[in-house]
Amino acid sequence: MIHTNKKGSWLEITVPEEWEKYTLETLFKDFWMAPKKLVHAFRMEKSVLLNGQVPDWTLPFQKNARLSLKLFTEEKPTHIPQYLNVDIIYEDDHLIVFNKPAGMDTHPNEDGQTGTLANAAAFHLLASGEVSRPRHIHRLDRDTTGAVLFAKNPLTAAILDKMLQERSIKRTYLALTDGIIRQKKGIIDKPIGRDRHHPTKRRVSENGQPAITYFHVIEKKKQHTLVQCSLATGRTHQIRVHFSAIGHPLTGDLLYGGSDGVSRQALHAVKLEFTHPFTQEKITCHAPFIDEEPIFTIDPYSI
């Protein structure tokens, strides 16, 4: 674990031994994988100090050096701050994980839209005295519940975006499907593309983008199967499309042929696991079930 300390607008990091092979240039480029435009801004605005001084970005770190990053600057929110009753699973100076309820978009889809998780995130930070711009790292469908990760500053967002692309942020889902899935576990490897006949629907298509879903069966009920899922890709509606394609649509998912036994598609992002961008601590977040009428009966913390 790497020692960090927030001091006003600055984050101070005690450079660990394993970083002594890096220069500032290679730390930002190879370790944090920050975009060139963001790195340029840090350099031009002198938002990086080493032992309190403007550093030479080409020199390797010295043992026990003190790296300071000006991360906590004020940013005008891009979304309208709005109070919404949304639970927080995890929060620190850099990021926040919400437990999104059903019936809520992750972010606005048009200018001025409110009622989304991004609006709630903007309000929460403002109410906490943090004038910053929360950035969602991934999203969930409107009627899918569970853990959603936001970054509080541009560098954290850039690092987490790269981690998501490289699949080092692990997301685990629970789904209730129609019918009995006979196999104990499996891989659904079917490309997904847009449905030409429906503006928001997706379908399995030979010309679609690659999509892979891993699953294993947790429990078989009379007419339904409870499955745990993880994704090797992150396509829109991926789990919903894949289980529909194998003849087991999600219960409540009327768009993809599911039965109407519950009030929404039975899909919940139950667990989120990732390595903290700065401390390198392993973070595991479990999202409790929040439906008024229970869809899942399993303990979410057992996943």
Side-chain angles (χ1 to χ4, degrees), residues 136-203:
H136 69 276
I137 304 304
H138 60 101
R139 67 192 75 187
L140 294 177
D141 296 339
R142 178 178 176 84
D143 284 329
T144 298
T145 54
V148 180
L149 174 62
F150 280 75
K152 292 185 177 183
N153 61 70
L155 181 57
T156 300
I159 298 169
L160 291 174
D161 281 340
K162 280 292 185 181
M163 290 169 62
L164 189 71
Q165 292 176 21
E166 296 181 344
R167 304 298 163 193
S168 56
I169 296 178
K170 183 179 178 182
R171 293 175 287 167
T172 304
Y173 297 82
L174 287 177
L176 188 67
T177 73
D178 288 345
I180 302 300
I181 299 176
R182 300 299 175 186
Q183 62 198 104
K184 291 183 178 179
K185 60 182 180 179
I187 302 173
I188 307 173
D189 185 354
K190 296 178 183 292
I192 293 175
R194 290 184 177 273
D195 189 320
R196 291 175 295 175
H197 307 291
H198 195 287
T200 59
K201 193 175 181 181
R202 300 297 192 271
R203 65 184 180 90

Side-chain angles (χ1 to χ4, degrees), residues 10 23-25 28 42-43 46-61 66-69:
W10 295 82
T23 65
L24 268 174
E25 284 185 345
F28 273 82
F42 270 99
R43 297 185 73 152
K46 295 182 172 56
S47 296
V48 180
L49 301 176
L50 197 60
N51 297 323
Q53 304 295 321
V54 176
D56 183 333
W57 283 62
T58 64
L59 295 178
F61 288 114
R66 188 178 78 256
L67 175 64
S68 301
L69 306 172

Side-chain angles (χ1 to χ4, degrees), residues 22-41:
Y22 293 111
T23 65
L24 268 174
E25 284 185 345
T26 57
L27 179 72
F28 273 82
K29 177 184 175 183
D30 299 333
F31 186 72
W32 284 332
M33 297 174 288
K36 290 181 180 179
K37 185 177 180 180
L38 181 60
V39 176
H40 180 73

Side-chain angles (χ1 to χ4, degrees), residues 5 19 26 32 47 86 98 103 122 168 198 210 223 258 261-262 273 278 291:
N5 184 33
W19 284 13
T26 57
W32 284 332
S47 296
V86 182
F98 293 96
S168 56
H198 195 287
Q223 299 176 345
V262 295
E273 301 168 90
F278 298 109
D291 292 285

Side-chain angles (χ1 to χ4, degrees), residues 1-5 11-16 18-19 27-28 31-34 38 42 67-72 90 92-95 151-160 163 274-283:
M1 185 172 172
I2 297 173
H3 179 71
T4 65
N5 184 33
L11 176 71
E12 289 195 351
I13 303 174
T14 302
V15 173
E18 57 266 30
W19 284 13
L27 179 72
F28 273 82
F31 186 72
W32 284 332
M33 297 174 288
L38 181 60
F42 270 99
L67 175 64
S68 301
L69 306 172
K70 195 173 185 180
L71 295 184
F72 311 110
Y90 176 87
D92 62 24
D93 292 330
H94 310 280
L95 52 93
K152 292 185 177 183
N153 61 70
L155 181 57
T156 300
I159 298 169
L160 291 174
M163 290 169 62
F274 59 95
T275 300
H276 195 282
F278 298 109
T279 68
Q280 296 299 291
E281 180 184 5
K282 179 66 179 291
I283 306 294

